[in-house]
Amino acid sequence: MPQSTLETVNELIAGSFGGAAQVLVGQPLDTIKTRSQIAPKGMFKGPMDILTQTMRKEGILALYKGMASPLLGIAGVNSLLFAAYGISKRIISPFGQLSLKEIAAAGAMAGAANAILASPVEMFKVRMQGQYGNPSDKRLRVVAREMWAEWGFRKGVMRGYWVTMAREIPAYAGFYTAFEYSKRKFARKYGPDLPVWALLASGSTGGIAYWLSSYPLDVVKSRIQLRTTPPRGTPVQYIASELKAVVAESGVAGLFRGLTPCLIRSIPAAGSTFAAFELTREYLRSFTGV
């Protein structure tokens, strides 16, 4: 097997481990974040109220509502992401260490590729998290079947694809740039074989940069994916229209609703993602020699 192909296979495998770690660690705060974005106005007073009401009315397992979609899909999503990032780095420069600008470009390219799988995973997750413990709540398979039957692949399963891509491009440019910057700083002090806590810290820094780079677009994505009907017009038109609608309803602050639990979530979730990826990648490197 060619070396570049084996590298990509290793990145696919390591990415799946990183993705599973991300979902298991971060899902409860992701549920709070999504409900902050999509809940009817006045339903909750803030993130803590979402947490207490959800646990009181629906039980603690409701914080993991919608987890099946990302847990089933995240292996593919993160495998694609890390593999696309590795390929993008090799395309940009096959020689030596990339500059941070080149890292940002590779991250943006990986984010664009990642949107292909991230969009349906996010759509089903949001629609599950948008159910509040009523008797009429639906299981994931019912939601998936209805979306396909009523709207088909493009307007149903892939709803929100263009806004997901618009989110992923700056998000992963910021994500990988912050991660690599932090990792290089630690490497100067501790050498190339970083301790696990340094990988966790670097991943957490990347996770914070991810959301600060893209959060308003995440709000728009969640609202579009939860709507009963698909958006109309071109992607630029409906994204701009949704941004205006959020500002009209809640002011500029509405574009950042749910950001606090999201940032808190990003610290353990992104940290565990990269730690799991790097440790798995190092193991595979020692096993395969690539």
Side-chain angles (χ1 to χ4, degrees):
M1 184 181 292
Q3 180 173 322
S4 60
T5 303
L6 190 55
E7 280 185 292
T8 301
V9 171
N10 288 349
E11 286 157 357
L12 287 167
I13 295 171
S16 67
F17 279 88
Q22 174 187 327
V23 174
L24 293 172
V25 171
Q27 184 67 16
L29 284 166
D30 185 78
T31 298
I32 295 172
K33 180 267 294 183
T34 302
R35 289 188 168 186
S36 295
Q37 295 173 341
I38 64 177
K41 191 173 183 179
M43 185 172 185
F44 300 111
K45 297 176 184 178
M48 285 303 299
D49 189 42
I50 294 173
L51 175 63
T52 54
Q53 282 201 47
T54 298
M55 292 182 66
R56 186 173 67 248
K57 295 178 180 178
E58 303 172 61
I60 192 169
L61 291 180
L63 294 172
Y64 293 88
K65 187 173 286 185
M67 188 174 76
S69 173
L71 194 56
L72 290 172
I74 203 69
V77 170
N78 271 46
S79 291
L80 175 61
L81 172 66
F82 282 105
Y85 177 61
I87 292 169
S88 298
K89 288 198 297 181
R90 291 190 283 274
I91 290 172
I92 290 171
S93 176
F95 309 107
Q97 191 177 61
L98 276 67
S99 68
L100 290 179
K101 289 182 180 179
E102 290 172 327
I103 289 290
M109 292 165 64
N114 189 59
I116 296 169
L117 290 182
S119 180
V121 169
E122 286 280 309
M123 192 277 295
F124 289 123
K125 176 179 69 68
V126 166
R127 294 187 80 85
M128 291 299 293
Q129 290 171 327
Q131 300 181 125
Y132 300 98
N134 297 317
S136 59
D137 283 0
K138 302 169 184 176
R139 293 183 179 275
L140 176 60
R141 63 176 179 270
V142 176
V143 172
R145 185 170 62 246
E146 290 182 353
M147 289 296 288
W148 176 268
E150 189 169 359
W151 300 109
F153 181 73
R154 186 171 65 86
K155 294 183 178 181
V157 175
M158 294 298 288
R159 183 179 300 177
Y161 168 72
W162 290 108
V163 68
T164 301
M165 179 180 282
R167 179 194 74 169
E168 299 287 80
I169 290 172
Y172 280 108
F175 187 98
Y176 280 109
T177 303
F179 172 71
E180 287 291 339
Y181 176 80
S182 299
K183 194 171 142 185
R184 290 175 188 183
K185 284 288 187 181
F186 284 123
R188 289 176 188 172
K189 186 172 183 179
Y190 298 103
D193 296 325
L194 293 180
V196 173
W197 68 264
L199 292 174
L200 288 168
S202 298
S204 299
T205 303
I208 292 170
Y210 176 103
W211 289 114
L212 293 179
S213 301
S214 64
Y215 196 79
L217 286 168
D218 188 70
V219 174
V220 170
K221 178 199 68 66
S222 296
R223 287 167 59 102
I224 286 173
Q225 291 176 326
L226 189 68
R227 288 193 183 283
T228 55
T229 58
R232 296 180 178 179
T234 67
V236 172
Q237 288 173 333
Y238 66 69
I239 290 171
S241 176
E242 200 66 42
L243 286 168
K244 290 177 183 177
V246 174
V247 173
E249 292 170 15
S250 308
V252 175
L255 296 173
F256 298 93
R257 184 179 293 165
L259 179 60
T260 299
C262 193
L263 291 177
I264 295 171
R265 167 188 175 268
S266 70
I267 294 172
S272 60
T273 300
F274 265 100
F277 173 81
E278 292 283 343
L279 292 172
T280 305
R281 184 70 182 84
E282 284 303 313
Y283 171 77
L284 291 172
R285 182 178 286 120
S286 66
F287 183 74
T288 62
V290 177

